[in-house]
Amino acid sequence: MSSNLHEPGLAVHCEDLTVSYAARPVLWDIDVDIPPGVMAAIVGPNGAGKSTLIKSILGLVRPTAGHITILGRPYKDQRRRVGYVPQRSSVDWDFPTTAIDVVMMGLYGQLGWFRRPGTKERQKASDALARVGMLDFADRQISQLSGGQQQRVFLARALVQDAEVYFLDEPMAGVDATTERAIVAILHALRDAGKTVIVVHHDLQTVRTYFDWMVILNVRVIAQGPVRDIYNADNLRRAYGGQVALLDRDKVLGETG
Amino acid sequence: MTMLAFLSDFTIQNVMAGAALLGIVSGVLGSFAVLRKQSLLGDTLSHAALPGICIGFLIAGVRDLPVLLAGALVTGAVAALLMVALTRTTRLKTDAGLGIALSLSFAVGIVLLTHIQATGGAGHGGLESFLFGQAAAILRSDIYVMAAIGAVALALVMAFWKEFKLVSFDPDYARTLGLPVLALDVTITVTIALAVVIGLQMVGVVLMAAMVVAPAAAARQWSNRLGTMVALAALFGMASGLFGALVSATARGLSTGPLIVLAASAIVLVSLAIAPGRGMVWEWLQRLKDRRALPSRRVLSTLYRLAAEHGNPAYPAEQTMLDAYHGTSTARGLERLKARGLVARAAHAPEFTPHWVLTPSGITEAEALLGHPNEDENQ
Ligand SMILES: Nc1ncnc2c1ncn2[C@@H]1O[C@H](COP(=O)(O)OP(=O)(O)OP(=O)(O)O)[C@@H](O)[C@H]1O
Ligand SMILES: [Mg+2]
């Protein structure tokens, strides 16, 4: 068995990965390695290919070249060990369904064909909603939730999968400070329980407090490694180019700048 | 004719059974079409059925319903798959893809139909009745065919309920869970095609699309749960079917299909207007209520802030001062609040002008109004 494993010591391993849309490369020959048990940020400007990277790891986008393994095996063999929180804008929130129903969707893969979610699944979903502080909203129609609450429902849906590697696409976009703290606390708890948490993140100011690993991306990988080693003015300027002036160097980079 | 004799009339029984069947099945499957933003899919499938009916006739040589409907199903599916292929390989949006598939296949259907009419003589089988439907010509054996197709369609929905739901709501996530999204998409489309095929003989290819969309759109207004919505859509579809069948049977010269569609459209209009939570009248009443409650809410929060500033929950505020602060008379708002037990009059010597204090329940209410800015995030 173990002979099939490729880089089993890594939570995520991408090698020579190229992804293009309509012949235009969006990710160009990148290698990304993320060790298990870290909370990793994927940062980079708009259009850098962050969502594309996550989607190709999860098999939603087919790479032009390269290969990807999760905990040593291709994604299709590891689905049960992976949880996913998509960008909030990716679904129609007017769909006639309730918060707890959405959370139970996280269990559909484990349930298998023809079986409907029952009491056990409902209990698991309630527990996950309680963990994100949304139990009171379990029976609300999802369009009647605020943006931050919708994001927490998505998070609960991933929690209920009870995975080992979690991918989150901008979970902190458009949520207030309280919700952001709550989300970060949950993610830290996951990491402390030995899970790997990989987050597309936009706010450079909080990278150093929230994360211990980081991948700076802009079509190519600019830098990757422990946050304290690679969070510096040089790397950020190479990723963001001229935009770094907009980022207010002193505030973002602090004394490292 | 007595009611009993009327209902036991063989033809009327047939028409009613068929109309109810087509209403139920198109309501259920239409719900998925509407939620997947593929309302035009019903249109495409039904228009694409016409060439299939003609080809079925050319193959069978006679008007044999199972063969005609099988032909309709095949060409409907081909058109739908053509649409999928167009949108996946080119930059066309779904609605444009459906539009192209629709007009192309309908044009082919009309060409075939006129060809059959021109060459078939008396034996052309009255295929043009499939354009607008012809309920009176329905036989008992046709009903059995429709019931069998409907049973298959409903069984598919029951069997794949949770998969259909997830694929309609969040297809990307469904794929990460390992669901075969493409196969499920095709299954849903074919099942919708089955629903369309059931209605062809009675409602016809031109109006059948309305039966896919209308009951589902009406049901969406009344419910926030997929299960309830689908059940309601089935009910609305069945009611429209029975209405059309009964009215056309009693009043001479009115055809069933258009009556069914009219009934379904009436249900849509009523639902759009009055459904609680989404209907226009409901929203308008809600806004009116809000607007009338606004002045008293403002006064309440002013009282609360004054009390907070003075560190005294029972701080008596002078009415003229409240008037001045709001730039308008607050008397009516205050009376309203008093009627709800949220404020009380207070005497405040040495002045004799009216003063007001918050009651404990007034304080709770004001805190609820001011206290949860998060709740208002989306407004
Ligand atoms: N489905 C698609 N078809 C064609 N081009 C696409 C598609 N999705 C993304 N792109 C392009 O690929 C590039 C990378 O997109 P991606 O969504 O991965 O960026 P991102 O880093 O997530 O950006 P953001 O910060 O705005 O979310 C962009 O230039 C985008 O225009
Ligand atoms: Mg993105």
Side-chain angles (χ1 to χ4, degrees):
Chain A
M1 269 306 261
S2 64
S3 59
N4 311 339
L5 292 178
H6 180 70
E7 299 284 357
L10 292 171
V12 174
H13 167 70
C14 306
E15 205 173 304
D16 305 330
L17 179 69
T18 298
V19 182
S20 7
Y21 292 114
R24 192 172 58 90
V26 169
L27 292 173
W28 179 244
D29 193 28
I30 64 169
D31 299 311
V32 175
D33 290 318
I34 298 175
V38 298
M39 177 141 150
I42 300 178
V43 302
N46 289 128
K50 306 181 292 295
S51 300
T52 305
L53 175 59
I54 288 196
K55 284 184 178 168
S56 40
I57 294 172
L58 296 176
L60 296 174
V61 169
R62 196 196 305 261
T64 321
H67 69 258
I68 302 163
T69 54
I70 295 175
L71 298 166
R73 288 180 200 284
Y75 175 70
K76 65 176 173 38
D77 300 336
Q78 302 283 37
R79 288 185 208 286
R80 293 287 150 77
R81 302 167 78 183
V82 173
Y84 175 43
V85 179
Q87 247 171 321
R88 181 155 51 86
S89 56
S90 64
V91 303
D92 170 21
W93 288 96
D94 199 34
F95 197 87
T97 187
T98 55
I100 192 158
D101 230 24
V102 171
V103 177
M104 279 192 283
M105 289 176 187
L107 297 166
Y108 283 9
Q110 301 164 28
L111 266 173
W113 296 99
F114 309 121
R115 279 185 54 214
R116 300 279 179 89
T119 348
K120 204 177 97 211
E121 284 73 27
R122 184 160 278 274
Q123 187 55 48
K124 280 191 187 174
S126 299
D127 292 347
L129 278 174
R131 270 171 83 185
V132 299
M134 286 289 296
L135 195 53
D136 291 344
F137 299 89
D139 290 316
R140 273 251 190 126
Q141 205 268 320
I142 51 174
S143 71
Q144 291 160 15
L145 299 171
S146 75
Q149 292 167 341
Q150 290 173 345
Q151 197 66 64
R152 286 199 241 184
V153 170
F154 259 10
L155 182 56
R157 183 175 71 172
L159 288 179
V160 89
Q161 290 182 264
D162 195 20
E164 285 164 54
V165 185
Y166 284 93
F167 293 90
L168 300 91
D169 201 343
E170 301 198 26
M172 265 81 98
V175 307
D176 66 14
T178 323
T179 306
E180 178 161 331
R181 268 197 303 278
I183 291 176
V184 168
I186 293 163
L187 299 183
H188 279 166
L190 286 174
R191 178 198 55 194
D192 296 343
K195 323 256 183 187
T196 313
V197 181
I198 297 161
V199 182
V200 173
H201 192 64
H202 252 306
D203 182 9
L204 288 175
Q205 298 191 38
T206 50
V207 168
R208 277 181 301 178
T209 38
Y210 293 167
F211 296 94
D212 41 34
W213 193 270
M214 116 187 245
V215 177
I216 306 180
L217 197 67
N218 191 356
V219 184
R220 311 202 55 145
V221 172
I222 306 296
Q224 58 181 323
V227 171
R228 62 175 180 283
D229 296 345
I230 65 157
Y231 189 97
N232 58 50
D234 219 31
N235 283 337
L236 292 177
R237 198 175 301 112
R238 275 166 59 209
Y240 287 83
Q243 293 176 48
V244 89
L246 297 175
L247 294 172
D248 188 348
R249 270 188 60 165
D250 297 332
K251 223 161 72 200
V252 174
L253 300 171
E255 61 276 16
T256 61
Chain B
M1 202 166 16
T2 67
M3 194 64 187
L4 196 67
F6 174 73
L7 286 178
S8 55
D9 180 288
F10 208 62
T11 319
I12 294 173
Q13 272 182 4
N14 275 349
V15 173
M16 284 180 53
L21 248 169
L22 103 88
I24 291 172
V25 180
S26 58
V28 170
L29 273 310
S31 298
F32 287 96
V34 165
L35 289 175
R36 292 158 60 81
K37 312 237 180 305
Q38 292 185 337
S39 305
L40 205 53
L41 180 64
D43 235 335
T44 308
L45 289 171
S46 57
H47 283 82
L50 189 61
I53 289 170
C54 295
I55 293 170
F57 180 79
L58 289 174
I59 290 174
V62 287
R63 188 192 164 109
D64 178 21
L65 191 67
V67 179
L68 300 190
L69 295 190
L73 189 62
V74 169
T75 47
V78 167
L81 295 180
L82 176 71
M83 179 277 290
V84 171
L86 275 177
T87 48
R88 290 216 170 192
T89 54
T90 68
R91 288 181 162 270
L92 277 182
K93 295 269 176 284
T94 306
D95 58 347
L98 285 170
I100 291 173
L102 182 160
S103 14
L104 193 64
S105 46
F106 195 54
V108 173
I110 294 291
V111 168
L112 284 175
L113 185 62
T114 42
H115 169 75
I116 290 172
Q117 282 172 333
T119 58
H124 66 66
L127 290 191
E128 67 280 355
S129 72
F130 279 99
L131 276 178
F132 296 104
Q134 196 175 41
I138 285 186
L139 308 173
R140 182 50 60 100
S141 60
D142 297 345
I143 298 293
Y144 294 147
V145 173
M146 289 168 72
I149 299 174
V152 171
L154 294 183
L156 282 171
V157 172
M158 298 281 274
F160 299 114
W161 178 261
K162 72 178 193 304
E163 285 80 13
F164 280 10
K165 175 157 105 182
L166 180 53
V167 163
S168 303
F169 173 62
D170 195 347
D172 271 359
Y173 187 73
R175 245 159 86 195
T176 69
L177 294 184
L179 294 186
V181 172
L182 184 64
L184 284 166
D185 271 342
V186 171
T187 312
I188 295 179
T189 307
V190 169
T191 318
I192 295 173
L194 288 174
V196 166
V197 157
I198 289 180
L200 289 179
Q201 204 183 3
M202 192 165 255
V203 175
V205 298
V206 177
L207 287 177
M208 192 50 210
M211 281 311 288
V212 172
V213 177
R220 177 67 191 94
Q221 293 287 313
W222 297 93
S223 168
N224 278 329
R225 305 276 178 103
L226 184 62
T228 328
M229 173 183 166
V230 168
L232 270 178
L235 189 73
F236 289 162
M238 185 177 76
S240 318
L242 290 177
F243 173 87
L246 280 174
V247 171
S248 65
T250 45
R252 237 157 253 296
L254 295 180
S255 57
T256 318
L259 279 173
I260 295 176
V261 172
L262 277 180
S265 313
I267 296 178
V268 172
L269 286 181
V270 171
S271 306
L272 283 177
I274 65 168
R278 299 174 77 91
M280 287 178 302
V281 174
W282 190 90
E283 254 177 32
W284 179 75
L285 283 176
Q286 205 62 21
R287 231 177 355 228
L288 195 72
K289 227 164 75 189
D290 258 14
R291 201 156 53 217
R292 287 177 54 183
L294 196 60
S296 51
R297 272 199 213 143
R298 283 207 189 115
V299 175
L300 189 71
S301 65
T302 310
L303 280 171
Y304 181 83
R305 262 177 290 158
L306 283 168
E309 251 164 52
H310 290 84
N312 171 13
Y315 174 78
E318 194 172 353
Q319 189 173 328
T320 49
M321 188 260 275
L322 290 171
D323 287 351
Y325 179 79
H326 286 279
T328 166
S329 166
T330 55
R332 275 190 45 194
L334 284 164
E335 286 305 331
R336 242 181 242 275
L337 291 171
K338 183 168 161 240
R340 291 172 61 200
L342 301 178
V343 300
R345 274 178 197 282
H348 187 251
E351 302 148 279
F352 295 99
T353 50
H355 282 65
W356 296 85
V357 295
L358 286 167
T359 62
S361 55
I363 291 174
T364 323
E365 176 84 14
E367 277 171 351
L369 275 180
L370 297 169
H372 302 291
N374 288 349
E375 303 275 283
D376 296 336
E377 227 177 65
N378 263 3
Q379 287 189 356

